[in-house]
Amino acid sequence: MANRKLRMGMVGGGQGAFIGAVHRIAARMDGLIDLVCGAFSSDPAKSKATGESLFLSAERVYGSFEEMMEREAALPADQRMDFVSIVTPNHLHFAPAKLALEKGFHVVLDKPMTFSLQEALELEKAVRQSGLLLCLTHTYTGYPMVKEARQVVLSGRLGRIRKVYVEYPQGWLSEHIEGGENKQANWRTDPGKSGMAGCMGDIGTHAFNLAEYVTGLKVTRLCAQINTVVHGRKLDDDGAVLLEFENGATGVLMASQIAAGEENCLKIRVYGEKGGLEWKQDEANSLWLKWLHEPAQLLRTGGPGLSSYAQHNTRVPAGHPEGYLEAFANLYRNFALTLQARLQGTEPRPEWLDFPGVEEGVRGMRFIERVIESGKTDKKWVEL
């Protein structure tokens, strides 16, 4: 591949931030990427402290993302960052992403893509005009057995898809913990930072993306019930959505952050004319295929008979569990391999191109807007 590592900058992800550390682990897992600079906090002192803890050169640690974009763009081509990873709360996604594209930098962006659908459409336009890459980190599509599930559906082995069930229950917001020391709870339940949706924007978008990714089908209509269960909370913390897909299949999406005792029990089931499949994050290295006239079949990460997509996204032999961090790293690796191919003027392999991008980002923001619209109206069924 390229005779050097790709150079990454980061916006957000300062000391104490959850997802920033996850991004950094994922980015360096395969040895293709080095973190070289960052604006890690809106507080310059905190940004500096984070840079020191990451052993970065002091002159490459910036007090704001605007300063970082300007100064990095002014560096010689063999020194400046190749792309920026943006790991801020939702309301701070759009501005640094748009500026990065304008300055000629590729972008990795945490989900949901923006604060609003309008911002998402503007960012989509900026990506198209720049010709640059944008990777949206819908983590769960990086699991090898999720890749395999998609290939099983696309191969036609299940027949025409009829029914989809996808659920994502969490329990961490079962009590009113915002307003205290929990930074994650504070911003994720704040409409000024999270956007118009809470639970549905945070994890409902993951479930929606997983359903469309695995089936290869787009949702065309939905009907939502949106709930705010915990007293005093400003955004939804629970909901259920009926789905209608472009081929006429129907589905049910459930997302809840008040399912007391649950952790991150993401699960999808897809049923066609000839059989179905089931995958859940609690047992991420297993994919069940269930046949109408044959015994059920268990596929395992690293095992025999898997597609090139599952094989490409597997690192160790079967029986060695691969989990959330490896799935996250698969997004970075595929993005990096695609970017390296572009820099070399070569054609990326199809397996490398299999990462979420700006189209999925717009779909996710449209899902959020329509779900909240449906939840507030008696009409219920709305077009997506």
Side-chain angles (χ1 to χ4, degrees), residues 177-215:
I177 59 174
E178 53 263 46
E181 297 298 318
N182 191 317
K183 293 181 180 180
Q184 294 298 315
N186 291 343
W187 79 257
R188 292 178 193 272
T189 59
D190 181 351
K193 296 179 178 180
S194 182
M196 67 169 60
C199 174
M200 279 297 165
D202 190 12
I203 61 175
T205 50
H206 274 311
F208 171 77
N209 174 257
L210 186 66
E212 290 203 332
Y213 178 79
V214 170
T215 64

Side-chain angles (χ1 to χ4, degrees), residues 66-352:
E66 294 93 344
E67 179 191 10
M68 185 175 87
M69 302 301 177
E70 291 290 341
R71 289 180 56 183
E72 286 295 312
L75 290 175
D78 63 348
Q79 296 179 28
R80 71 173 75 110
M81 66 180 180
D82 295 300
F83 72 94
V84 61
S85 179
I86 300 170
V87 298
T88 52
N90 304 350
H91 70 301
L92 295 174
H93 285 183
F94 174 74
K98 188 170 185 292
L99 184 57
L101 294 167
E102 291 171 350
K103 294 295 182 180
F105 299 117
H106 305 271
V107 174
V108 174
L109 186 56
D110 208 46
K111 52 57 56 191
M113 190 164 73
T114 50
F115 183 76
S116 67
L117 177 58
Q118 180 181 351
E119 285 185 350
L121 293 171
E122 289 185 41
L123 193 58
E124 180 184 39
K125 182 179 179 181
V127 170
R128 305 298 183 212
Q129 290 177 340
S130 70
L132 299 171
L133 297 176
L134 185 146
C135 172
L136 188 70
T137 53
H138 273 297
T139 316
Y140 308 106
T141 61
Y143 279 105
M145 288 296 95
V146 171
K147 302 284 188 191
E148 186 66 18
R150 174 177 168 85
Q151 294 306 309
V152 168
V153 173
L154 295 183
S155 72
R157 293 170 64 191
L158 300 184
R160 183 176 176 276
I161 299 305
R162 292 172 166 175
K163 200 73 182 180
V164 180
Y165 296 96
V166 61
E167 58 186 72
Y168 198 158
Q170 294 178 338
W172 73 290
L173 287 177
S174 293
E175 298 175 324
H176 194 284
I177 59 174
E178 53 263 46
E181 297 298 318
N182 191 317
K183 293 181 180 180
Q184 294 298 315
N186 291 343
W187 79 257
R188 292 178 193 272
T189 59
D190 181 351
K193 296 179 178 180
S194 182
M196 67 169 60
C199 174
M200 279 297 165
D202 190 12
I203 61 175
T205 50
H206 274 311
F208 171 77
N209 174 257
L210 186 66
E212 290 203 332
Y213 178 79
V214 170
T215 64
L217 299 170
K218 286 183 167 56
V219 174
T220 55
R221 295 202 310 154
L222 60 81
C223 173
Q225 180 184 25
I226 303 301
N227 308 308
T228 302
V229 176
V230 174
H231 181 72
R233 183 157 290 155
K234 297 177 181 179
L235 292 172
D236 59 285
D237 51 21
D238 174 78
V241 188
L242 298 177
L243 307 172
E244 187 174 292
F245 292 84
E246 59 187 331
N247 74 333
T250 58
V252 181
L253 181 153
M254 184 276 280
S256 180
Q257 293 177 314
I258 51 88
E262 291 289 357
E263 297 174 331
N264 284 274
C265 193
L266 177 62
K267 178 178 179 180
I268 186 168
R269 290 171 288 161
V270 178
Y271 299 99
E273 299 166 307
K274 303 175 183 178
L277 61 80
E278 179 178 328
W279 177 87
K280 56 183 178 179
Q281 186 174 222
D282 283 2
E283 299 176 10
N285 292 278
S286 296
L287 173 66
W288 279 101
L289 304 182
K290 302 176 181 182
W291 304 108
L292 185 60
H293 298 298
E294 298 176 28
Q297 183 180 5
L298 176 62
L299 303 182
R300 294 279 291 165
T301 299
L306 301 181
S307 68
S308 62
Y309 288 82
Q311 292 177 41
H312 167 68
N313 289 281
T314 301
R315 291 175 176 78
V316 293
H320 297 82
E322 298 190 47
Y324 176 80
L325 292 174
E326 288 85 355
F328 216 119
N330 284 336
L331 302 187
Y332 268 97
R333 180 171 65 163
N334 290 334
F335 169 81
L337 290 171
T338 299
L339 179 51
Q340 285 181 327
R342 175 177 290 203
L343 295 175
Q344 292 179 352
T346 59
E347 192 70 24
R349 288 169 48 186
E351 292 85 353
W352 302 351

